[in-house]
Amino acid sequence: ERNLRLLEKIPPAGSLLKVVEALDDKNNIKLLRILIPTKNMDAEVATGMIFPLVWLTFIAVWTRGAYRAGIGFAALFSLPFWSTGLWLLKSVLAPVIQETEVVLSPTAFSIAYDMFKIGWLNINYRWLVKGKSTDITGCSVETLSYLNGQPIKHVVLRAGVNSYAFGHALKYVEKEHIVMEILEYLRQNVGIDLSQGY
């Protein structure tokens, strides 16, 4: 639409979140855009990389040994272990290599996961999900997994039978802020009040 005015909302102190509303001439909110940018490599990510790298090194040595011993078929046995190691490494690196954008309009929503948007390394593999805003049945902060006994909480947007998780590397206050913004937008612009639950 034309003549939309952008209003950047204030995120929690110290947060890199970008929350923008697009308003029309009558101050009606037409669009809500939430951007979760990549974060810098820090000690948490660096120490989290230790186990996946040790895992992958062990698998590399084992696979090379099996191949050099002339039993290349046995090296194929390592494929599930390679995929597990790469998945572990991707999980640890996600906050550094993945940017997430959530966009809501009165009729539709989308969540875009952009991978490898690292400064000059802008390869940009994009995974995009879309749906109808009227299909959204919930948005909350939920524990989806555990790491070393600690809960890993995500923002979870539910639409019908589908659930979309994002923002696991954010601080809890940032996750709550995203949920609050989404629920408020849905209440004001889509006519869905999820504050009471079902």
Side-chain angles (χ1 to χ4, degrees):
E1 286 188 38
R2 296 178 185 217
N3 302 325
L4 290 180
R5 187 169 45 93
L6 299 180
L7 173 68
E8 187 163 346
K9 300 184 83 178
I10 299 172
S15 174
L16 297 177
L17 282 177
K18 300 232 183 299
V19 180
V20 178
E21 291 178 339
L23 308 170
D24 66 11
D25 296 344
K26 297 173 187 156
N27 282 339
N28 295 320
I29 302 169
K30 293 296 183 184
L31 200 70
L32 176 68
R33 178 180 179 258
I34 301 170
L35 179 68
I36 303 170
T38 58
K39 72 178 210 173
N40 294 326
M41 177 74 80
D42 59 11
E44 182 182 3
V45 174
T47 56
M49 289 174 48
I50 293 171
F51 179 75
L53 291 176
V54 169
W55 176 282
L56 289 169
T57 301
F58 175 79
I59 297 304
V61 169
W62 187 89
T63 304
R64 186 170 187 257
Y67 185 75
R68 293 191 94 200
I71 46 176
F73 180 73
L76 292 176
F77 178 73
S78 69
L79 288 177
F81 298 98
W82 277 105
S83 65
T84 300
L86 291 172
W87 179 84
L88 287 169
L89 189 59
K90 180 251 174 214
S91 297
V92 170
L93 287 175
V96 177
I97 63 173
Q98 178 178 301
E99 180 177 274
T100 306
E101 179 186 48
V102 180
V103 178
L104 290 165
S105 77
T107 57
F109 75 89
S110 67
I111 304 172
Y113 303 89
D114 291 317
M115 301 291 283
F116 303 111
K117 288 187 92 169
I118 308 170
W120 56 271
L121 182 64
N122 196 358
I123 298 170
N124 200 17
Y125 167 75
R126 175 171 264 207
W127 179 51
L128 180 68
V129 294
K130 295 180 179 183
K132 295 178 184 176
S133 294
T134 54
D135 289 342
I136 296 175
T137 57
C139 184
S140 59
V141 177
E142 298 179 16
T143 300
L144 297 184
S145 60
Y146 290 85
L147 179 63
N148 296 328
Q150 298 298 314
I152 306 298
K153 296 185 178 289
H154 296 72
V155 175
V156 178
L157 183 71
R158 288 182 299 287
V161 297
N162 298 310
S163 295
Y164 307 104
F166 53 91
H168 77 277
L170 297 173
K171 302 293 184 199
Y172 188 79
V173 68
E174 294 173 302
K175 295 171 192 174
E176 285 290 329
H177 184 77
I178 290 172
V179 169
M180 180 197 69
E181 290 287 350
I182 290 173
L183 293 178
E184 184 66 17
Y185 179 84
L186 290 171
R187 187 182 66 74
Q188 288 182 354
N189 300 286
V190 185
I192 299 174
D193 187 0
L194 298 173
S195 61
Q196 304 303 316
Y198 283 118

